[in-house]
Amino acid sequence: MKQIQPVSIWYNGQMVQATIINMTSISDNLSTQATFFYALYVDANFQVYNGNLTMEGADYITYSSSIDSNDYAYQWGATQLNLTLV
C-alpha cells in the first residue's frame, strides 16, 4: 500500500477522500504484459474503488528489468490513474 494525494470519490451516496492505493499483480506472462488489480482506500480497511490495469510494450520492458519493480509498478499505476504518490 502507498499513500496518495487525497482524491474525491463518490461512494455510497457521498463524497469520500481516498488516500491509499494498493496494487497486486494478478497476471504476468513474463514476456510482454502484466495485469494489476488496484484498489483505492480511505484508510487501510475502507476500500472505495477498484479495477484492473494492463501494462504492455516499453512500460512492461522497463518494469521487468527494473531494480525495484514494485516501485515502478506503483509509479506507473498512479500515472495511469492520474494520481500522485506521496
Side-chain angles (χ1 to χ4, degrees):
M1 293 183 146
K2 299 266 187 179
Q3 294 289 320
I4 57 172
Q5 287 289 104
V7 59
S8 296
I9 296 177
W10 187 255
Y11 178 80
N12 223 14
Q14 64 183 350
M15 293 300 286
V16 296
Q17 297 289 310
T19 59
I20 299 169
I21 185 171
N22 190 43
M23 290 181 57
T24 304
S25 175
I26 58 173
S27 174
D28 188 337
N29 70 5
L30 303 177
S31 176
T32 60
Q33 74 175 22
T35 301
F36 299 90
F37 171 81
Y38 71 90
L40 301 178
Y41 294 82
V42 170
D43 61 41
N45 299 310
F46 183 19
Q47 180 182 314
V48 293
Y49 193 81
N50 65 60
N52 294 318
L53 295 169
T54 299
M55 178 190 293
E56 302 175 300
D59 291 327
Y60 181 82
I61 292 167
T62 303
Y63 161 73
S64 64
S65 62
S66 176
I67 292 171
D68 188 346
S69 58
N70 287 340
D71 188 53
Y72 182 84
Y74 271 105
Q75 290 290 344
W76 175 85
T79 299
Q80 300 306 302
L81 298 168
N82 199 29
L83 301 172
T84 303
L85 297 177
V86 293

Coordinates of all heavy atoms in Angstrom, one line a residue:
M1 N 0.8 -1.2 0.0 CA 0.0 0.0 0.0 C 0.9 1.2 0.0 O 1.9 1.2 0.6 CB -0.9 0.0 1.2 CG -2.0 -1.1 1.2 SD -3.0 -0.9 2.7 CE -4.6 -1.4 1.9
K2 N 0.4 2.2 -0.7 CA 1.2 3.5 -0.8 C 0.2 4.7 -0.6 O -1.0 4.6 -1.0 CB 1.8 3.7 -2.2 CG 2.8 2.6 -2.6 CD 4.2 3.1 -2.2 CE 5.2 2.1 -2.8 NZ 6.5 2.5 -2.5
Q3 N 0.7 5.7 0.0 CA -0.1 6.9 0.2 C -0.2 7.7 -1.1 O 0.7 7.7 -1.8 CB 0.6 7.8 1.3 CG 0.6 7.2 2.7 CD -0.8 7.2 3.3 OE1 -1.6 8.1 3.2 NE2 -1.1 6.1 4.0
I4 N -1.4 8.3 -1.3 CA -1.6 9.2 -2.5 C -2.1 10.5 -2.0 O -2.6 10.6 -0.9 CB -2.6 8.5 -3.5 CG1 -3.9 8.2 -2.8 CG2 -2.0 7.3 -4.1 CD1 -5.0 7.8 -3.8
Q5 N -2.0 11.5 -2.8 CA -2.6 12.8 -2.6 C -4.1 12.5 -2.5 O -4.6 11.7 -3.4 CB -2.4 13.8 -3.7 CG -1.0 14.3 -3.7 CD -0.8 15.3 -2.6 OE1 -0.1 15.0 -1.6 NE2 -1.3 16.5 -2.7
P6 N -4.9 13.0 -1.6 CA -6.3 12.7 -1.5 C -7.0 13.0 -2.8 O -6.8 14.0 -3.5 CB -6.8 13.6 -0.4 CG -5.6 13.9 0.4 CD -4.4 13.9 -0.5
V7 N -7.9 12.1 -3.1 CA -8.7 12.2 -4.3 C -10.2 11.9 -4.0 O -10.5 11.0 -3.2 CB -8.3 11.2 -5.5 CG1 -8.3 9.8 -5.0 CG2 -9.0 11.4 -6.7
S8 N -11.1 12.8 -4.4 CA -12.5 12.6 -4.1 C -13.1 11.5 -5.0 O -12.9 11.5 -6.2 CB -13.2 13.9 -4.3 OG -12.8 14.9 -3.5
I9 N -13.9 10.7 -4.3 CA -14.6 9.6 -5.0 C -16.0 9.5 -4.4 O -16.2 9.6 -3.2 CB -13.9 8.2 -4.7 CG1 -12.5 8.2 -5.4 CG2 -14.7 7.1 -5.3 CD1 -11.7 7.0 -5.1
W10 N -17.0 9.4 -5.4 CA -18.4 9.2 -5.0 C -18.5 7.8 -4.5 O -18.3 6.8 -5.3 CB -19.3 9.5 -6.2 CG -20.7 9.5 -5.8 CD1 -21.6 8.5 -6.1 CD2 -21.4 10.5 -5.1 NE1 -22.9 8.9 -5.6 CE2 -22.8 10.1 -5.0 CE3 -21.1 11.8 -4.6 CZ2 -23.7 10.9 -4.4 CZ3 -22.0 12.5 -4.0 CH2 -23.3 12.1 -3.9
Y11 N -19.0 7.6 -3.3 CA -19.1 6.2 -2.7 C -20.4 6.2 -1.9 O -20.5 6.9 -0.9 CB -17.9 5.9 -1.9 CG -18.0 4.5 -1.2 CD1 -17.7 3.4 -1.9 CD2 -18.4 4.4 0.1 CE1 -17.8 2.1 -1.3 CE2 -18.5 3.2 0.7 CZ -18.2 2.0 0.0 OH -18.3 0.8 0.6
N12 N -21.3 5.3 -2.3 CA -22.5 5.1 -1.5 C -23.2 6.3 -1.1 O -23.7 6.5 0.0 CB -22.1 4.3 -0.2 CG -23.0 3.2 0.1 OD1 -23.8 2.8 -0.7 ND2 -22.9 2.7 1.4
G13 N -23.4 7.2 -2.1 CA -24.2 8.4 -1.9 C -23.5 9.6 -1.3 O -24.1 10.6 -1.0
Q14 N -22.2 9.5 -1.2 CA -21.4 10.6 -0.6 C -20.0 10.7 -1.2 O -19.5 9.7 -1.7 CB -21.4 10.6 0.9 CG -20.7 9.3 1.5 CD -20.7 9.3 3.0 OE1 -21.1 10.2 3.6 NE2 -20.3 8.2 3.5
M15 N -19.4 11.9 -1.0 CA -18.0 12.1 -1.5 C -17.1 11.6 -0.3 O -17.3 12.0 0.8 CB -17.7 13.5 -1.9 CG -18.5 14.0 -3.1 SD -18.1 13.0 -4.6 CE -16.5 13.6 -5.0
V16 N -16.1 10.8 -0.6 CA -15.1 10.4 0.3 C -13.7 10.7 -0.3 O -13.6 10.9 -1.5 CB -15.2 8.9 0.7 CG1 -16.6 8.7 1.4 CG2 -15.1 8.0 -0.5
Q17 N -12.7 10.8 0.6 CA -11.3 11.1 0.1 C -10.5 9.8 0.2 O -10.2 9.3 1.3 CB -10.7 12.1 1.0 CG -11.4 13.5 1.0 CD -11.2 14.2 -0.4 OE1 -10.0 14.3 -0.8 NE2 -12.2 14.6 -1.0
A18 N -10.1 9.2 -0.9 CA -9.2 8.1 -1.0 C -7.8 8.6 -0.7 O -7.4 9.7 -1.3 CB -9.3 7.4 -2.3
T19 N -7.0 8.0 0.1 CA -5.7 8.4 0.4 C -4.6 7.3 0.3 O -3.5 7.5 0.5 CB -5.6 9.0 1.9 OG1 -6.0 7.9 2.8 CG2 -6.5 10.2 2.0
I20 N -5.1 6.1 -0.1 CA -4.2 5.0 -0.2 C -4.5 4.2 -1.5 O -5.7 4.1 -1.9 CB -4.4 4.0 1.0 CG1 -4.1 4.7 2.3 CG2 -3.5 2.7 0.8 CD1 -4.5 4.0 3.5
I21 N -3.5 3.7 -2.2 CA -3.6 2.8 -3.3 C -2.9 1.5 -3.0 O -1.8 1.5 -2.3 CB -3.1 3.4 -4.6 CG1 -3.4 2.5 -5.8 CG2 -1.6 3.7 -4.5 CD1 -3.1 3.0 -7.2
N22 N -3.5 0.4 -3.4 CA -2.8 -0.9 -3.3 C -2.9 -1.5 -4.6 O -3.9 -1.4 -5.4 CB -3.5 -1.8 -2.3 CG -2.7 -3.0 -2.0 OD1 -1.5 -3.0 -1.8 ND2 -3.3 -4.2 -1.9
M23 N -1.8 -2.1 -5.1 CA -1.7 -2.8 -6.3 C -1.2 -4.2 -6.1 O -0.2 -4.4 -5.4 CB -0.8 -2.1 -7.3 CG -1.4 -0.8 -7.8 SD -0.4 0.1 -9.0 CE -0.2 -1.1 -10.3
T24 N -1.8 -5.2 -6.9 CA -1.3 -6.6 -6.8 C -1.2 -7.1 -8.3 O -2.2 -6.9 -9.0 CB -2.3 -7.4 -6.0 OG1 -2.5 -6.9 -4.7 CG2 -1.9 -8.9 -5.9
S25 N -0.1 -7.7 -8.6 CA 0.0 -8.4 -9.9 C -0.9 -9.6 -9.9 O -0.8 -10.5 -9.1 CB 1.4 -8.8 -10.2 OG 1.5 -9.5 -11.4
I26 N -1.8 -9.7 -10.9 CA -2.7 -10.8 -11.0 C -2.4 -11.7 -12.2 O -2.9 -12.8 -12.3 CB -4.2 -10.4 -11.0 CG1 -4.6 -9.4 -12.1 CG2 -4.6 -9.8 -9.6 CD1 -6.0 -9.1 -12.2
S27 N -1.6 -11.2 -13.1 CA -1.2 -11.9 -14.3 C 0.0 -11.3 -14.9 O 0.1 -10.1 -15.0 CB -2.3 -11.9 -15.3 OG -1.9 -12.5 -16.5
D28 N 1.0 -12.1 -15.2 CA 2.2 -11.7 -15.8 C 2.7 -12.8 -16.7 O 3.1 -13.9 -16.2 CB 3.3 -11.3 -14.8 CG 4.5 -10.6 -15.4 OD1 4.8 -10.8 -16.6 OD2 5.2 -10.0 -14.6
N29 N 2.8 -12.6 -18.0 CA 3.2 -13.6 -18.9 C 4.7 -13.7 -19.0 O 5.3 -14.5 -19.8 CB 2.6 -13.5 -20.3 CG 3.1 -12.3 -21.1 OD1 4.0 -11.6 -20.7 ND2 2.5 -12.1 -22.3
L30 N 5.4 -12.9 -18.3 CA 6.9 -12.9 -18.2 C 7.6 -12.6 -19.5 O 8.7 -12.9 -19.7 CB 7.4 -14.2 -17.6 CG 6.9 -14.5 -16.2 CD1 7.4 -15.9 -15.8 CD2 7.2 -13.5 -15.2
S31 N 6.8 -12.0 -20.4 CA 7.3 -11.7 -21.7 C 6.9 -10.3 -22.2 O 7.7 -9.5 -22.6 CB 6.9 -12.8 -22.7 OG 7.3 -12.5 -24.0
T32 N 5.6 -10.1 -22.2 CA 5.1 -8.8 -22.9 C 4.1 -8.0 -22.1 O 3.8 -6.9 -22.5 CB 4.5 -9.2 -24.3 OG1 3.4 -10.1 -24.0 CG2 5.5 -9.8 -25.2
Q33 N 3.5 -8.6 -21.1 CA 2.4 -7.9 -20.4 C 2.2 -8.4 -19.0 O 2.5 -9.5 -18.7 CB 1.1 -7.8 -21.1 CG 0.3 -9.1 -21.1 CD -1.0 -8.9 -21.8 OE1 -1.2 -8.0 -22.6 NE2 -1.9 -9.8 -21.4
A34 N 1.7 -7.5 -18.1 CA 1.3 -7.8 -16.8 C 0.0 -7.1 -16.5 O -0.2 -5.9 -17.0 CB 2.4 -7.4 -15.8
T35 N -0.9 -7.7 -15.7 CA -2.1 -7.1 -15.3 C -2.1 -7.0 -13.8 O -1.7 -7.9 -13.1 CB -3.3 -7.9 -15.8 OG1 -3.3 -8.0 -17.2 CG2 -4.7 -7.3 -15.4
F36 N -2.5 -5.8 -13.3 CA -2.6 -5.5 -11.9 C -4.0 -5.2 -11.5 O -4.7 -4.5 -12.2 CB -1.7 -4.2 -11.6 CG -0.3 -4.4 -12.0 CD1 0.2 -4.1 -13.2 CD2 0.6 -4.9 -11.0 CE1 1.5 -4.2 -13.6 CE2 2.0 -5.1 -11.4 CZ 2.4 -4.8 -12.6
F37 N -4.3 -5.7 -10.3 CA -5.6 -5.3 -9.6 C -5.2 -4.1 -8.7 O -4.2 -4.2 -8.0 CB -6.1 -6.4 -8.8 CG -7.3 -6.0 -7.9 CD1 -8.5 -5.9 -8.4 CD2 -7.0 -5.7 -6.5 CE1 -9.6 -5.6 -7.6 CE2 -8.1 -5.4 -5.7 CZ -9.4 -5.3 -6.2
Y38 N -5.9 -3.0 -8.8 CA -5.7 -1.9 -7.9 C -6.9 -1.6 -7.1 O -8.0 -1.9 -7.5 CB -5.2 -0.7 -8.7 CG -6.3 0.0 -9.5 CD1 -7.1 1.0 -8.9 CD2 -6.5 -0.4 -10.8 CE1 -8.1 1.6 -9.7 CE2 -7.5 0.2 -11.5 CZ -8.3 1.2 -11.0 OH -9.3 1.8 -11.7
A39 N -6.7 -1.0 -5.9 CA -7.8 -0.6 -5.1 C -7.4 0.7 -4.4 O -6.3 0.9 -4.0 CB -8.1 -1.7 -4.0
L40 N -8.4 1.6 -4.3 CA -8.2 2.9 -3.6 C -9.0 2.8 -2.2 O -10.1 2.3 -2.2 CB -8.8 4.0 -4.4 CG -8.1 4.2 -5.8 CD1 -8.8 5.3 -6.5 CD2 -6.6 4.4 -5.7
Y41 N -8.3 3.3 -1.2 CA -8.9 3.2 0.2 C -8.9 4.6 0.8 O -8.1 5.4 0.6 CB -7.9 2.3 1.0 CG -7.9 0.9 0.6 CD1 -7.0 0.5 -0.4 CD2 -8.6 -0.1 1.3 CE1 -7.0 -0.9 -0.8 CE2 -8.5 -1.4 0.9 CZ -7.7 -1.8 -0.1 OH -7.6 -3.1 -0.5
V42 N -9.9 4.7 1.7 CA -10.0 5.9 2.6 C -9.0 5.7 3.7 O -8.2 6.6 4.1 CB -11.4 6.1 3.2 CG1 -11.4 7.1 4.3 CG2 -12.3 6.5 2.0
D43 N -8.9 4.5 4.3 CA -7.9 4.0 5.2 C -7.7 2.6 4.9 O -8.3 2.0 4.0 CB -8.4 4.3 6.7 CG -9.6 3.5 7.1 OD1 -9.8 2.4 6.7 OD2 -10.5 4.1 7.8
A44 N -6.8 2.0 5.7 CA -6.3 0.6 5.4 C -7.5 -0.4 5.3 O -7.3 -1.5 4.8 CB -5.3 0.2 6.4
N45 N -8.6 -0.1 5.9 CA -9.7 -1.1 6.0 C -11.0 -0.6 5.2 O -12.0 -1.4 5.2 CB -10.1 -1.3 7.4 CG -9.0 -1.9 8.2 OD1 -8.4 -2.8 7.8 ND2 -8.7 -1.2 9.4
F46 N -10.9 0.5 4.5 CA -12.1 1.0 3.9 C -11.9 1.3 2.4 O -11.5 2.3 2.0 CB -12.6 2.3 4.6 CG -13.8 2.9 4.1 CD1 -14.8 2.3 3.3 CD2 -14.1 4.3 4.4 CE1 -15.9 2.9 2.8 CE2 -15.2 4.9 3.9 CZ -16.1 4.2 3.1
Q47 N -12.1 0.2 1.6 CA -11.9 0.3 0.1 C -13.1 1.0 -0.5 O -14.3 0.6 -0.3 CB -11.8 -1.1 -0.5 CG -11.5 -1.1 -1.9 CD -11.4 -2.5 -2.5 OE1 -10.7 -3.4 -2.0 NE2 -12.1 -2.8 -3.6
V48 N -12.8 1.9 -1.4 CA -13.9 2.7 -2.1 C -13.9 2.5 -3.6 O -14.9 2.9 -4.2 CB -13.9 4.2 -1.7 CG1 -14.2 4.3 -0.2 CG2 -12.6 4.8 -2.1
Y49 N -12.9 1.9 -4.2 CA -12.9 1.8 -5.6 C -11.8 0.8 -6.0 O -10.8 0.6 -5.3 CB -12.5 3.1 -6.3 CG -12.8 3.1 -7.8 CD1 -14.0 3.3 -8.3 CD2 -11.7 2.9 -8.7 CE1 -14.3 3.3 -9.7 CE2 -12.0 2.9 -10.1 CZ -13.2 3.1 -10.5 OH -13.5 3.1 -11.9
N50 N -12.0 0.0 -7.1 CA -11.0 -0.9 -7.6 C -11.2 -1.2 -9.1 O -12.2 -0.8 -9.7 CB -11.1 -2.2 -6.8 CG -12.3 -3.0 -7.0 OD1 -12.7 -3.4 -8.1 ND2 -13.1 -3.2 -5.9
G51 N -10.2 -1.8 -9.6 CA -10.2 -2.1 -11.0 C -8.9 -2.8 -11.4 O -8.1 -3.2 -10.6
N52 N -8.7 -3.0 -12.8 CA -7.5 -3.6 -13.3 C -6.8 -2.7 -14.3 O -7.5 -1.9 -15.0 CB -7.9 -4.9 -14.0 CG -8.4 -5.9 -13.1 OD1 -8.0 -6.1 -12.0 ND2 -9.5 -6.6 -13.5
L53 N -5.5 -2.8 -14.3 CA -4.7 -2.1 -15.3 C -3.7 -3.1 -16.0 O -3.2 -4.0 -15.3 CB -3.8 -1.0 -14.6 CG -4.5 0.1 -13.9 CD1 -3.5 0.9 -13.0 CD2 -5.1 1.0 -14.9
T54 N -3.6 -3.0 -17.3 CA -2.7 -3.9 -18.0 C -1.5 -3.1 -18.6 O -1.7 -2.0 -19.2 CB -3.4 -4.6 -19.2 OG1 -4.5 -5.4 -18.6 CG2 -2.5 -5.5 -19.9
M55 N -0.3 -3.5 -18.2 CA 0.9 -2.9 -18.7 C 1.5 -3.7 -19.8 O 1.6 -4.9 -19.8 CB 1.9 -2.9 -17.5 CG 3.3 -2.3 -17.8 SD 4.5 -2.6 -16.5 CE 3.8 -1.7 -15.1
E56 N 1.9 -3.0 -20.9 CA 2.5 -3.6 -22.1 C 3.6 -2.8 -22.7 O 3.8 -1.7 -22.2 CB 1.4 -3.8 -23.2 CG 0.2 -4.6 -22.7 CD -0.9 -4.6 -23.8 OE1 -1.4 -3.6 -24.1 OE2 -1.2 -5.7 -24.2
G57 N 4.2 -3.3 -23.7 CA 5.2 -2.5 -24.5 C 6.4 -2.1 -23.7 O 6.9 -2.8 -22.8
A58 N 6.8 -0.8 -24.0 CA 8.0 -0.3 -23.3 C 7.8 -0.2 -21.8 O 8.8 -0.4 -21.1 CB 8.3 1.1 -23.9
D59 N 6.6 0.1 -21.3 CA 6.4 0.1 -19.9 C 6.7 -1.3 -19.3 O 7.3 -1.4 -18.2 CB 5.0 0.5 -19.6 CG 4.7 2.0 -19.9 OD1 5.6 2.8 -19.8 OD2 3.5 2.2 -20.3
Y60 N 6.2 -2.3 -19.9 CA 6.5 -3.7 -19.4 C 8.0 -4.0 -19.4 O 8.5 -4.6 -18.5 CB 5.7 -4.8 -20.2 CG 6.0 -6.1 -19.6 CD1 5.3 -6.5 -18.4 CD2 7.0 -6.9 -20.1 CE1 5.5 -7.8 -17.9 CE2 7.2 -8.2 -19.5 CZ 6.5 -8.6 -18.4 OH 6.8 -9.8 -17.8
I61 N 8.7 -3.6 -20.5 CA 10.1 -3.9 -20.6 C 10.9 -3.2 -19.4 O 11.7 -3.8 -18.8 CB 10.7 -3.5 -21.9 CG1 10.1 -4.4 -23.0 CG2 12.2 -3.5 -22.0 CD1 10.3 -3.9 -24.4
T62 N 10.5 -1.9 -19.2 CA 11.1 -1.2 -18.1 C 10.8 -1.8 -16.7 O 11.7 -2.0 -15.9 CB 10.7 0.3 -18.1 OG1 11.0 0.8 -19.4 CG2 11.4 1.1 -17.0
Y63 N 9.5 -2.2 -16.6 CA 9.1 -2.9 -15.3 C 9.8 -4.2 -15.1 O 10.4 -4.4 -14.0 CB 7.6 -3.1 -15.4 CG 7.0 -4.1 -14.5 CD1 6.9 -3.9 -13.1 CD2 6.6 -5.4 -14.9 CE1 6.4 -4.8 -12.2 CE2 6.1 -6.3 -14.1 CZ 5.9 -6.0 -12.7 OH 5.4 -7.0 -11.9
S64 N 9.9 -5.0 -16.1 CA 10.5 -6.3 -15.9 C 12.0 -6.3 -15.7 O 12.6 -7.2 -15.2 CB 10.2 -7.2 -17.1 OG 10.7 -6.7 -18.3
S65 N 12.7 -5.2 -16.1 CA 14.1 -5.0 -15.9 C 14.5 -4.0 -14.8 O 15.7 -3.8 -14.6 CB 14.8 -4.6 -17.3 OG 14.3 -3.3 -17.6
S66 N 13.5 -3.5 -14.1 CA 13.7 -2.5 -13.1 C 14.4 -3.2 -11.8 O 14.0 -4.3 -11.5 CB 12.4 -1.9 -12.7 OG 12.5 -1.0 -11.6
I67 N 15.2 -2.4 -11.2 CA 15.8 -2.9 -9.9 C 14.7 -3.0 -8.9 O 14.8 -3.9 -8.0 CB 16.9 -1.9 -9.5 CG1 18.1 -2.0 -10.5 CG2 17.4 -2.2 -8.1 CD1 19.2 -1.0 -10.2
D68 N 13.8 -2.1 -8.9 CA 12.7 -2.1 -7.9 C 11.4 -2.1 -8.7 O 10.7 -1.1 -8.9 CB 12.7 -0.9 -7.0 CG 11.7 -1.0 -5.8 OD1 10.8 -1.8 -5.9 OD2 11.8 -0.2 -4.9
S69 N 11.0 -3.3 -9.1 CA 9.8 -3.4 -10.0 C 8.5 -3.0 -9.2 O 7.6 -2.5 -9.8 CB 9.6 -4.8 -10.6 OG 9.6 -5.8 -9.5
N70 N 8.5 -3.2 -7.9 CA 7.3 -2.8 -7.1 C 7.1 -1.3 -7.2 O 6.0 -0.8 -7.4 CB 7.4 -3.3 -5.7 CG 7.2 -4.7 -5.5 OD1 6.6 -5.4 -6.4 ND2 7.6 -5.3 -4.4
D71 N 8.2 -0.6 -7.0 CA 8.1 0.9 -7.0 C 7.7 1.4 -8.4 O 6.9 2.2 -8.6 CB 9.5 1.5 -6.6 CG 9.4 3.0 -6.4 OD1 8.5 3.5 -5.7 OD2 10.2 3.7 -7.1
Y72 N 8.3 0.7 -9.4 CA 8.0 1.1 -10.8 C 6.5 0.9 -11.1 O 5.8 1.7 -11.7 CB 8.8 0.4 -11.8 CG 8.5 0.8 -13.2 CD1 9.1 1.9 -13.8 CD2 7.6 0.1 -14.0 CE1 8.8 2.3 -15.1 CE2 7.2 0.5 -15.3 CZ 7.8 1.6 -15.8 OH 7.5 2.0 -17.1
A73 N 6.0 -0.3 -10.6 CA 4.6 -0.6 -10.9 C 3.7 0.4 -10.2 O 2.7 0.9 -10.8 CB 4.3 -2.0 -10.4
Y74 N 4.0 0.8 -9.0 CA 3.2 1.8 -8.3 C 3.2 3.1 -9.0 O 2.2 3.8 -9.2 CB 3.6 2.0 -6.8 CG 2.9 1.1 -5.9 CD1 3.5 -0.1 -5.3 CD2 1.6 1.3 -5.5 CE1 2.9 -0.9 -4.4 CE2 0.9 0.5 -4.6 CZ 1.6 -0.6 -4.1 OH 0.9 -1.5 -3.2
Q75 N 4.4 3.6 -9.4 CA 4.5 4.8 -10.1 C 3.7 4.8 -11.4 O 3.0 5.7 -11.8 CB 6.0 5.2 -10.4 CG 6.8 5.5 -9.2 CD 6.4 6.9 -8.6 OE1 5.8 7.7 -9.3 NE2 6.9 7.1 -7.4
W76 N 3.9 3.7 -12.1 CA 3.2 3.5 -13.4 C 1.7 3.5 -13.2 O 0.9 4.2 -13.9 CB 3.6 2.2 -14.1 CG 2.8 1.9 -15.3 CD1 3.1 2.4 -16.6 CD2 1.7 1.1 -15.4 NE1 2.2 1.9 -17.5 CE2 1.3 1.1 -16.8 CE3 0.9 0.3 -14.5 CZ2 0.2 0.4 -17.2 CZ3 -0.2 -0.3 -15.0 CH2 -0.5 -0.3 -16.3
G77 N 1.2 2.8 -12.2 CA -0.2 2.7 -11.9 C -0.8 4.1 -11.5 O -1.9 4.5 -12.0
A78 N -0.1 4.8 -10.7 CA -0.5 6.1 -10.3 C -0.7 7.0 -11.5 O -1.6 7.8 -11.6 CB 0.4 6.7 -9.2
T79 N 0.3 7.0 -12.4 CA 0.3 7.8 -13.6 C -0.9 7.4 -14.4 O -1.7 8.3 -14.9 CB 1.6 7.6 -14.4 OG1 2.7 8.0 -13.6 CG2 1.5 8.4 -15.7
Q80 N -1.2 6.1 -14.6 CA -2.4 5.7 -15.4 C -3.7 6.2 -14.8 O -4.6 6.5 -15.6 CB -2.4 4.2 -15.5 CG -1.2 3.5 -16.1 CD -0.9 4.1 -17.5 OE1 -1.7 4.0 -18.4 NE2 0.3 4.6 -17.6
L81 N -3.7 6.3 -13.5 CA -5.0 6.7 -12.8 C -5.0 8.2 -12.5 O -5.9 8.7 -11.8 CB -5.1 5.9 -11.6 CG -5.3 4.4 -11.8 CD1 -5.2 3.6 -10.4 CD2 -6.6 4.1 -12.4
N82 N -4.0 8.9 -12.9 CA -3.8 10.3 -12.7 C -3.8 10.7 -11.2 O -4.5 11.6 -10.7 CB -5.0 11.1 -13.4 CG -4.6 12.6 -13.5 OD1 -3.5 13.0 -13.7 ND2 -5.6 13.4 -13.6
L83 N -3.1 9.8 -10.5 CA -2.9 10.0 -9.0 C -1.5 10.4 -8.7 O -0.6 10.2 -9.5 CB -3.2 8.7 -8.3 CG -4.6 8.1 -8.5 CD1 -4.7 6.7 -7.8 CD2 -5.7 9.0 -7.9
T84 N -1.3 11.0 -7.6 CA 0.1 11.4 -7.1 C 0.5 10.6 -5.9 O -0.2 10.7 -4.9 CB 0.2 12.9 -6.9 OG1 -0.2 13.6 -8.1 CG2 1.6 13.3 -6.5
L85 N 1.5 9.9 -5.9 CA 2.1 9.2 -4.7 C 2.7 10.2 -3.9 O 3.3 11.2 -4.3 CB 3.1 8.1 -5.1 CG 2.6 7.0 -6.0 CD1 3.7 6.0 -6.3 CD2 1.4 6.2 -5.3
V86 N 2.6 10.0 -2.5 CA 3.3 10.9 -1.6 C 4.3 10.2 -0.7 O 4.3 9.0 -0.7 CB 2.3 11.7 -0.7 CG1 1.5 12.6 -1.5 CG2 1.4 10.7 0.1

